[in-house]
Structure formats: structure tokens, C-alpha cells
């Protein structure tokens, strides 16, 4: 039984401790909203109003399954096929690697297995033609990080291509298509992409943090039509509750069949393995999240300082939508969501612990080597005294086997485990591995590389984004990175004179023609501009 009073206390305590201005929550059970409430305010500045379940929030990547739902409606009418090459729909489509464009399908894009990398830009063109321009001009510039269909790698650009394909085959702007195929049928009355529509309703604001810890409103409201299919919907927890009801009722919403049961099942079926002990992965624009013996389907999202969680248990007809207008490292929104499922479904206090098995040592020679991952950093797999070991950014941990291709490392002084999955090859050394569900590729470091510490000294300084402030400094021929958010120095491993790896991933120093470092690129995804 869900104790609403204690739940509300937990939310309010976490909001106060983490300086979260506003939160909204809805809970669906048996095709009804059994709970919906807002907490806090839309803004810390003048003109703020209390948050309600009808307050609009940016939902970030929770947009993706709504885009996927529209696409599946087009699949059902025969306008799209999940397994046809997308060049059949846009013959001019091009990628940076020869032959890749001819192989990529809609299914690969919707499951993040196309090989396109992760990227996101909060600001860009605002006209409807921005999406097509992005697919024509920017997509061909991205490197392909793995052969199409090989492995999971989260990709906003891939979902942007999905949105444009839907636009192209329907002959309608993407926003109009979403209104007709998703928002209107599901009575998502306030949901929109258009900031000028959203501003006519109560809407939560994104926030930045001042040096003294106080908050201020972020004066630039993120808008980029190219990114609309991947992360720009503005919605309410009540509208998201309607979306959940349909997906938990075999595609039926209030006696209207929006999607076929077969399409719903396809979207909620695991297609791309994350290589975790629990068996998590990705369906068609949905995350598949096993949790304490139940199967959760959903997504989380982040854009500007907004955060969101949307999770369903279709077999139990229970769903939770949680949105908030400031993300902070100590605001554990997932704990709030987990508590609701724990109490409503009477789940055990602890999830079953993964049980190690005897490893297949015959495969170890394929696994050993150096790997580099944009979100992971530099790691080494090696055998020491008959034990397979993981060295992750200079931290060494033993690996225990869960399957022949799946191991985990126990973090020292922590309950956290690091899953390591090996993408098996027939006989050759493993080229790709998954660490914490992020792809890493085998590399060979340049043994002759000698760091130019005068260059690194010139890179020293602070670099800022809406996420954090990073500071590079050099001490005794060693480069360190300080993060303001976590208030810690982390040592860096120099790959060459513009790239280094650390616990936060791979970072590139972007140097202008005049030799001055202008920005940092973290994980091929986040840009930090020099202060």
C-alpha cells in the first residue's frame, strides 16, 4: 500500500536538500490516475506560481517513445517498414562511412543500434525546415562508432533522422504529425513543441546556480527544431498519464484503438542488450528495465536543467511520471519512482544479487587489451595471476563472470557494480565492449607519444556549461580535472596533446587556429565553453 503522506515528505525533504524549485508527479493504476500533485514553484523569481499536475515541464528524452508511437502508427498504415533501408525513403541520405547509409534501417535508428553517436544541441534553428537541414547537412559529418546493427549506442541524432523520415513520408511537418497521431488522439491537451503555445499556460522554468549556491532562471529557453523528435516536448504529468494508459492497455485509450497490440508489444520488447546483470536494454524508443522481478518500460529525460522519469509496469497496469525543473547530483529522483513501485506492488526490499559463475577462460585471450569509450574513459582488460581484471581510469578491480560474455566489477568501498559486456567475435580479438551500458572500442596507444606540458599549461582554466564547471590544472607533470558539481579533482590520462580520459569519459580540448583552447568536448556530447 502506497503511503502518500510519507512519499510527500520524502519528495519535499529531497527538494529542500537539493534546491529543486518544482516537481510534479502522477501515478496511474488500473487505467486511472490515482494520485497527481505538484510540489514547489515554477520559478524562484518574481511571478512564480505553485506547481500543479497541469504545469508544463520540458520532458527531454521522454519525447522519444512519443515519437516512436507516431512512427509505429505510420508503420501500421504501410507508409513505413521497420526493416527497409532508410535510403528507400530519403534517397539522398548520406553518412560519413561508405556503405553505412545503405545498411541502416528504421529499426536500427529506433533501437540506437545504427552506429550514430550521441549528440545534442539545445539551441538551433526555430523554423520547421530545421529538421531536414540537420539531416542533410549535419548527419553526414558524424563518425560511425560501430557497424550498423552491431551494438547499442544511445543516439539523439538517430532519433532525429527517425522524425524526419516520418515527416518525409507523410508530407506533413513533424510537429503537425505528432499533434494528429499522438497528442490529439490521447487527449494530451497541453502537450506541445511550441514555446509560444507553452507560454500561454503555467510553465516551469529551467534554473542555473549562482556562485553562492542560490538559483536564478535560465533566460534562454531551449529551442531547436532539429532536435524536436529526440527531446523537446513540453508536457504535463497528466498528459503523460494518458500516454501510459494507452501503452498499458494494448494500444487502446478510452475505447479507441490508437496502436495495435502487436505494435505495442514490439515497442516494449528488448531489441538492444545493455549487458547488465538484470538484463536491461532498449526496445523501439522505450527502455526495458527489469526491476526486482518485474518488467518496467519507459524512459528518462534531461534538457537544460529539466529532468524527467516515465516508467510503466504494463502487466500490473501501474505507471509513474515524475518531472522537475532542476537536476542536481544529490537529487535521486529514481528513488522516489522506485519507492512508488515498491509500495504499490509490494516488492521486496532488496533486488536479488547477481550470482557469479565459473568463467570461460578460453575466451580471455580475445578480451584482453586497451579500450576507449566516450562516456567511460580509458580501460584495460588483463589477466593477473589467473584472474581477469578491469583497470578503469587507473583503478584496478577483479572481474566476476555472470555469463561467458558478461562480467561485473565491484567498486572499492561501494555497493555499486560495473557491468562489462564483451561483443563476441568468431575468433578475432573482441573489438567492442560495453561498460556501464556504454560502448568502448579497442585501441592501440601511440607508444612514442610524449606530452607537451607547455600546451597543457596553456589549456589550464575553467570551462562552463549548464551542467557543471570543469577546471584543468597541471601539477608536477600531471593533468587534473576539477569538477565544481562534485567538488573533486580527478587525475587525467593523456591520449595525445588534445585528448585525455578520466572517470567522466573522453574529453577533447578544442583548440582554435591561434592555438588557444576555446572549449572542451565531453564524451562527444557536452560542450563546455572557456570562461
Amino acid at each position: 500500500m502506497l503511503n502518500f503522506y510519507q512519499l510527500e515528505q520524502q519528495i519535499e525533504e529531497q527538494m529542500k536538500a537539493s534546491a529543486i524549485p518544482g516537481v510534479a508527479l502522477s501515478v496511474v493504476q488500473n487505467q486511472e490516475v490515482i494520485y497527481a500533485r505538484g510540489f514547489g514553484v515554477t520559478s524562484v523569481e518574481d511571478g512564480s506560481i505553485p506547481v500543479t499536475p497541469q504545469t508544463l515541464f520540458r520532458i527531454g528524452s521522454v519525447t522519444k517513445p512519443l515519437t516512436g508511437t507516431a512512427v509505429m502508427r505510420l508503420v501500421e498504415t504501410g507508409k513505413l517498414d521497420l526493416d527497409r533501408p532508410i535510403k528507400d525513403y530519403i534517397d539522398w541520405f548520406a553518412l560519413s562511412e561508405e556503405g553505412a547509409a545503405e545498411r541502416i534501417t528504421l529499426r536500427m535508428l529506433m533501437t540506437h543500434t545504427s552506429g550514430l553517436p550521441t549528440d545534442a544541441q539545445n539551441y538551433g534553428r526555430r523554423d520547421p525546415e530545421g529538421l531536414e537541414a540537420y539531416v542533410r547537412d549535419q548527419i553526414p559529418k558524424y563518425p560511425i562508432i560501430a557497424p550498423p546493427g552491431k551494438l547499442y549506442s544511445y543516439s539523439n541524432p538517430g532519433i532525429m533522422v527517425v522524425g524526419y523520415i516520418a515527416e518525409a513520408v507523410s508530407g506533413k511537418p513533424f510537429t503537425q504529425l505528432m499533434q494528429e497521431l499522438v497528442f490529439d488522439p490521447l487527449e494530451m491537451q497541453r502537450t506541445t513543441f511550441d514555446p509560444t503555445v507553452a507560454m500561454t499556460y503555467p510553465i516551469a522554468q529551467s534554473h542555473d546556480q549562482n556562485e553562492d549556491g542560490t538559483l536564478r532562471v535560465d533566460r534562454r529557453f531551449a529551442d531547436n527544431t532539429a532536435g524536436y523528435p529526440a527531446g523537446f516536448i513540453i508536457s504535463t504529468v497528466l498528459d503523460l498519464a494518458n500516454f501510459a494508459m494507452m501503452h498499458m492497455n494494448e494500444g487502446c485509450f478510452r475505447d479507441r484503438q490508437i496502436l495495435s497490440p502487436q505494435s505495442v508489444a514490439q515497442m516494449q520488447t528488448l531489441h538492444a542488450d545493455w549487458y547488465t546483470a538484470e538484463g536491461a536494454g532498449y526496445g523501439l524508443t522505450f527502455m526495458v528495465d527489469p526491476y526486482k522481478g518485474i518488467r518496467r518500460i519507459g524512459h528518462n529525460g534531461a534538457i537544460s536543467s529539466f529532468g524527467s522519469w516515465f516508467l510503466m509496469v504494463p502487466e500490473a497496469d501501474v505507471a509513474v511520471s515524475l518531472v522537475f525543473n532542476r537536476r542536481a547530483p544529490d537529487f535521486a529522483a529514481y528513488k522516489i519512482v522506485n519507492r512508488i513501485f515498491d509500495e504499490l506492488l509490494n516488492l521486496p526490499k532488496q533486488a536479488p544479487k547477481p550470482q557469479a559463475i565459473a568463467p570461460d577462460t578460453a575466451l580471455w585471450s580475445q578480451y584482453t587489451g586497451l579500450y576507449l569509450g566516450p562516456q567511460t574513459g580509458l580501460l584495460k582488460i588483463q589477466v593477473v595471476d589467473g584472474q581477469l581484471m578491469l583497470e578503469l581510469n587507473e583503478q584496478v578491480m577483479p572481474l566476476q563472470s555472470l555469463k561467458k560474455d558478461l562480467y561485473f566489477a565491484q567498486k572499492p568501498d561501494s555497493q555499486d557494480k560495473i557491468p562489462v559486456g564483451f561483443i563476441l567475435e568468431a575468433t578475432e580479438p573482441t573489438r567492442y565492449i560495453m561498460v556501464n551500458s556504454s560502448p568502448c572500442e579497442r585501441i592501440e596507444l601511440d607508444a612514442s607519444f610524449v606530452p607537451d606540458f607547455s600546451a597543457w599549461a596553456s589549456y589550464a582554466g575553467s570551462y562552463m556549461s549548464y551542467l557543471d564547471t570543469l577546471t584543468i590544472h597541471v601539477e608536477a607533470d600531471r593533468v587534473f580535472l576539477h569538477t565544481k558539481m562534485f567538488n573533486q579533482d580527478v587525475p587525467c590520462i593523456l591520449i595525445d596533446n588534445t585528448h585525455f580520459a578520466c572517470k567522466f569519459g573522453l574529453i577533447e580540448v578544442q583548440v582554435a587556429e591561434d592555438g588557444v583552447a576555446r572549449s572542451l568536448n565531453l564524451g562527444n556530447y557536452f560542450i563546455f565553453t572557456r570562461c
Side-chain angles (χ1 to χ4, degrees):
M1 184 68 180
L2 182 58
N3 187 319
F4 291 108
Y5 175 72
Q6 291 183 357
L7 173 67
E8 290 171 355
Q9 279 190 314
Q10 178 186 353
I11 292 172
E12 289 170 349
E13 288 170 1
Q14 286 191 221
M15 289 175 65
K16 183 178 180 181
S18 304
I20 310 300
V23 169
L25 170 68
S26 71
V27 181
V28 173
Q29 187 173 36
N30 299 326
Q31 294 295 294
E32 292 183 1
V33 176
I34 65 166
Y35 179 84
R37 185 182 161 184
F39 300 81
V41 293
T42 57
S43 163
V44 298
E45 298 184 359
D46 291 346
S48 70
I49 59 175
V51 170
T52 77
Q54 288 278 37
T55 301
L56 285 167
F57 284 74
R58 270 270 161 78
I59 63 172
S61 288
V62 175
T63 298
K64 290 178 172 66
L66 283 97
T67 295
T69 297
V71 169
M72 293 305 290
R73 295 201 70 185
L74 295 175
V75 169
E76 289 183 359
T77 62
K79 290 185 177 180
L80 289 172
D81 186 310
L82 293 174
D83 298 307
R84 284 179 65 182
I86 61 174
K87 280 183 74 73
D88 288 358
Y89 303 109
I90 42 176
D91 57 7
W92 47 260
F93 182 72
L95 292 171
S96 61
E97 185 174 300
E98 186 177 354
E102 287 73 20
R103 296 169 58 190
I104 288 180
T105 64
L106 201 58
R107 188 186 301 274
M108 293 177 189
L109 292 168
M110 294 173 71
T111 58
H112 299 289
T113 58
S114 69
L116 282 168
T118 296
D119 191 15
Q121 301 296 328
N122 285 357
Y123 308 102
R125 290 176 59 165
R126 295 179 175 178
D127 57 298
E129 291 73 30
L131 179 56
E132 178 178 347
Y134 174 87
V135 176
R136 284 185 181 273
D137 301 336
Q138 297 300 316
I139 290 292
K141 297 177 182 178
Y142 286 115
I144 302 299
I145 64 170
K150 183 72 173 179
L151 51 78
Y152 170 89
S153 180
Y154 191 77
S155 176
N156 288 308
I159 302 298
M160 296 175 201
V161 175
V162 169
Y164 176 69
I165 293 170
E167 181 177 276
V169 300
S170 67
K172 298 178 180 179
F174 176 74
T175 53
Q176 180 183 342
L177 196 66
M178 290 294 292
Q179 193 72 43
E180 294 176 0
L181 296 183
V182 182
F183 303 161
D184 287 345
L186 294 178
E187 300 177 16
M188 301 176 72
Q189 295 178 355
R190 296 194 178 188
T191 300
T192 183
F193 288 97
D194 190 341
T196 66
V197 172
M199 66 187 289
T200 66
Y201 296 105
I203 182 170
Q205 302 298 329
S206 175
H207 289 77
D208 291 326
Q209 192 168 33
N210 298 311
E211 289 292 330
D212 62 0
T214 59
L215 300 181
R216 67 180 186 277
V217 170
D218 179 2
R219 293 299 172 197
R220 290 193 71 192
F221 195 77
D223 198 23
N224 180 2
T225 53
Y228 277 12
F232 278 77
I233 282 178
I234 310 165
S235 189
T236 74
V237 292
L238 291 182
D239 281 1
L240 290 175
N242 289 357
F243 182 64
M245 289 180 202
M246 183 272 288
H247 267 282
M248 294 192 298
N249 194 30
E250 296 188 318
C252 186
F253 177 71
R254 295 180 181 166
D255 300 323
R256 300 191 300 274
Q257 198 70 40
I258 309 301
L259 271 184
S260 71
Q262 294 78 15
S263 292
V264 169
Q266 275 213 72
M267 291 185 71
Q268 299 180 11
T269 296
L270 186 129
H271 290 73
D273 194 346
W274 286 357
Y275 288 86
T276 68
E278 298 77 20
Y282 209 85
L284 289 172
T285 64
F286 270 124
M287 297 188 309
V288 180
D289 173 40
Y291 174 73
K292 294 185 177 180
I294 62 173
R295 187 181 71 105
R296 297 196 299 194
I297 307 295
H299 220 289
N300 60 349
I303 183 171
S304 299
S305 76
F306 291 102
S308 58
W309 282 88
F310 173 83
L311 283 170
M312 311 176 291
V313 180
E315 289 77 9
D317 202 7
V318 172
V320 177
S321 301
L322 180 72
V323 295
F324 40 101
N325 60 348
R326 180 173 178 266
R327 289 174 290 120
D330 53 349
F331 181 60
Y334 69 93
K335 290 185 178 180
I336 297 170
V337 174
N338 287 349
R339 176 180 185 154
I340 295 170
F341 285 109
D342 288 347
E343 294 188 9
L344 270 182
L345 302 178
N346 195 28
L347 300 178
K349 290 185 178 180
Q350 299 294 331
K353 293 183 179 179
Q355 298 298 310
I357 64 171
D360 186 347
T361 58
L363 294 171
W364 284 3
S365 61
Q366 295 185 41
Y367 299 162
T368 56
L370 279 174
Y371 299 85
L372 187 64
Q375 283 82 47
T376 309
L378 185 68
L379 60 104
K380 179 191 290 185
I381 303 294
Q382 58 189 327
V383 179
V384 179
D385 297 329
Q387 170 70 54
L388 195 66
M389 305 290 289
L390 167 67
E391 181 180 330
L392 180 58
N393 299 312
E394 300 183 327
Q395 186 176 55
V396 180
M397 296 162 279
L399 286 167
Q400 298 184 60
S401 177
L402 293 172
K403 301 177 183 177
K404 71 176 182 178
D405 59 349
L406 178 61
Y407 288 70
F408 71 88
Q410 182 76 54
K411 285 187 177 181
D413 305 320
S414 170
Q415 295 298 312
D416 293 338
K417 294 177 172 61
I418 302 173
V420 180
F422 297 90
I423 313 299
L424 292 173
E425 309 289 347
T427 56
E428 299 175 359
T430 300
R431 182 177 176 184
Y432 300 100
I433 65 176
M434 299 286 286
V435 179
N436 271 338
S437 304
S438 294
C440 304
E441 185 174 7
R442 182 182 291 271
I443 64 164
E444 295 290 338
L445 291 180
D446 181 0
S448 64
F449 168 62
V450 177
D452 180 355
F453 283 104
S454 63
W456 285 100
S458 73
Y459 304 157
S462 295
Y463 301 77
M464 187 172 64
S465 80
Y466 68 90
L467 286 174
D468 197 359
T469 298
L470 304 178
T471 301
I472 294 176
H473 60 100
V474 180
E475 295 180 12
D477 288 346
R478 189 72 199 265
V479 176
F480 292 87
L481 185 74
H482 179 83
T483 164
K484 178 182 176 183
M485 179 180 291
F486 298 102
N487 191 26
Q488 60 179 259
D489 281 340
V490 296
C492 303
I493 305 168
L494 303 186
I495 307 298
D496 55 36
N497 279 320
T498 56
H499 293 81
F500 63 90
C502 67
K503 65 182 293 184
F504 301 113
L506 178 65
I507 297 180
E508 178 187 6
V509 183
Q510 298 184 322
V511 182
E513 292 183 1
D514 59 5
V516 176
R518 304 293 188 190
S519 60
L520 301 180
N521 184 326
L522 171 60
N524 296 329
Y525 187 24
F526 296 111
I527 301 296
F528 291 74
T529 302
R530 191 163 192 163
C531 299

